[in-house]
Amino acid sequence: MVQLDQFDRKILRLFQADTRLTTSAIGDEVGLSATACQRRINRMRKNGVIEAEIAVLSPKGIERPMTMIVEVMLERGEARLIENFKALARNREEIQQCYYVTGRADFIIVVSMSDMEEYEIFIKEVFFDNPDVKSFETSTVMNRTKIGFNLPVM
């Protein structure tokens, strides 16, 4: 586990809210030089505290207004089936997020679609044609109330 001090935590709170902030602006906020902030950010990138720096796109803006949350139940809880589904999820661009979970489902996935026709094709390819999938249940998102990956940094 990586040890983070109070400066690292302040930097992370600012950085995850807006990765476009300059190291000078971050430094002004946390009380360090721009160079010291850059070194700390680079260290946190290198040691995996900062996993990625991404753009959050508007689904409507790119004509993918439908989001579905799908619970996926596999035929059996075998390691091979689990690893196969993880690989499938990593290779499907429509799957934004995939979680291997406890409870009645084996996986929860979040998918982005342009319309129901595209979703119908997706479920045929990913679920109906997949002998490892026992069943699935879809919830269609009606309103995107909150989106983000920000974590509380204490």
Side-chain angles (χ1 to χ4, degrees):
M1 176 159 320
V2 178
Q3 293 293 330
L4 301 175
D5 65 19
Q6 67 177 352
F7 291 112
D8 292 331
R9 292 177 189 287
K10 288 178 183 176
I11 290 167
L12 287 172
R13 280 193 291 275
L14 293 166
F15 193 70
Q16 76 174 338
D18 185 357
T19 59
R20 294 177 297 176
L21 284 174
T22 64
T23 52
S24 178
I26 293 171
D28 290 344
E29 283 288 320
V30 302
L32 292 173
S33 70
T35 304
C37 287
Q38 187 62 55
R39 272 197 309 272
R40 286 170 178 267
I41 290 169
N42 287 340
R43 177 178 44 81
M44 289 186 283
R45 284 177 178 137
K46 184 178 177 184
N47 64 28
V49 172
I50 298 172
E51 289 185 3
E53 297 162 53
I54 61 171
V56 178
L57 305 180
S58 163
K60 287 180 184 174
I62 60 167
E63 298 176 0
R64 298 192 68 78
M66 298 189 75
T67 300
M68 279 79 160
I69 300 168
V70 186
E71 295 180 51
V72 181
M73 285 66 78
L74 300 180
E75 278 294 340
R76 296 172 304 287
E78 294 176 9
R80 180 185 57 80
L81 273 61
I82 292 164
E83 292 308 314
N84 287 350
F85 193 83
K86 287 179 182 179
L88 178 143
R90 282 190 288 270
N91 290 316
R92 293 296 300 226
E93 195 171 47
E94 311 94 330
I95 299 177
Q96 295 178 290
Q97 297 170 52
C98 176
Y99 301 97
Y100 176 47
V101 298
T102 61
R104 77 179 181 129
D106 296 299
F107 289 91
I108 304 287
I109 61 173
V110 178
V111 296
S112 171
M113 296 288 149
S114 57
D115 55 33
M116 285 305 284
E117 238 178 273
E118 182 185 14
Y119 187 60
E120 185 177 6
I121 293 166
F122 174 84
I123 63 174
K124 182 182 180 320
E125 293 172 0
V126 174
F127 304 132
F128 294 151
D129 292 347
N130 186 340
D132 296 344
V133 174
K134 178 180 181 179
S135 63
F136 66 97
E137 187 172 317
T138 303
S139 296
T140 302
V141 174
M142 295 176 60
N143 178 277
R144 191 169 88 159
T145 305
K146 180 180 180 180
I147 188 76
F149 287 99
N150 288 11
L151 296 172
V153 183
M154 306 297 174

